[in-house]
Amino acid sequence: MKETSAGVVLFRRVGGRVRFLLLHYPSGHWDFVKGKMEPGETTRETALRETEEETGITDVAFLDGFEEQIRYEFEYNGETIRKKVVLFLAETRTKKIRISHEHTGYAWHGYEEAVENTTFENARVVLARAHAILQATADAGPRAQD
């Protein structure tokens, strides 16, 4: 069975520093905002909906040109699921979030902390690509208020 999800590498700028949002999942891992696509949705629409559902954040500004995919397989009820997750890079000005019942916590981390805390290697690769783009465009975009 194939399944597609979409999500966001969400960040804020605070005093010239970028802070990335990681969510703590009940299974114990730390990862980005993401969730399954609903019928008729585009991947961006899914990413926006999941961001609002999982964090309460609605002020999301996508950075054009960043769309990464992660693929993996897992077993669910004896069936192999082939998963594709499309991730976008987006900025918010919102600091405080309201996590959903799907998570047990959240944290805003600088890049180094985010790399250390992100559980899966494929997500760390996406985080590194996002960081590289933000380093290259350090003077662009709105600034979050702390």
Side-chain angles (χ1 to χ4, degrees):
M1 186 163 113
K2 293 181 181 179
E3 190 175 281
T4 301
S5 289
V8 178
V9 178
L10 195 62
F11 72 95
R12 342 180 352 259
R13 298 179 200 256
V14 180
R17 290 203 56 212
V18 171
R19 309 289 290 178
F20 293 97
L21 177 65
L22 294 179
L23 297 178
H24 194 224
Y25 287 75
S27 60
H29 69 280
W30 288 88
D31 207 348
F32 308 119
V33 170
K34 64 182 187 295
K36 291 182 195 176
M37 290 182 69
E38 293 183 356
E41 280 185 328
T42 67
T43 50
R44 273 198 185 201
E45 289 168 342
T46 299
L48 280 172
R49 178 182 50 76
E50 289 293 334
T51 300
E52 183 174 2
E53 288 177 3
E54 295 185 357
T55 69
I57 294 174
T58 58
D59 69 312
V60 176
F62 289 101
L63 272 69
D64 291 332
F66 187 96
E67 183 176 320
E68 296 288 328
Q69 292 186 10
I70 293 174
R71 294 176 186 268
Y72 57 92
E73 293 182 1
F74 63 95
E75 294 290 322
Y76 183 73
N77 289 335
E79 188 174 0
T80 300
I81 309 294
R82 288 175 178 81
K83 180 88 163 193
K84 175 176 80 171
V85 182
V86 179
L87 291 164
F88 299 97
L89 180 59
E91 184 169 10
T92 184
R93 292 183 176 178
T94 303
K95 177 181 180 181
K96 188 172 181 178
I97 71 170
R98 173 188 34 80
I99 59 169
S100 73
H101 66 280
E102 298 177 56
H103 304 96
T104 59
Y106 74 95
W108 290 103
H109 289 301
Y111 174 68
E112 293 79 16
E113 285 178 299
V115 169
E116 287 175 23
N117 286 291
T118 301
T119 303
F120 302 114
E121 178 62 27
N122 54 11
R124 287 192 294 271
V125 169
V126 171
L127 182 61
R129 291 178 182 152
H131 177 68
I133 285 176
L134 293 173
Q135 289 293 102
T137 60
D139 295 329
R143 299 287 188 250
Q145 301 300 311
D146 200 12

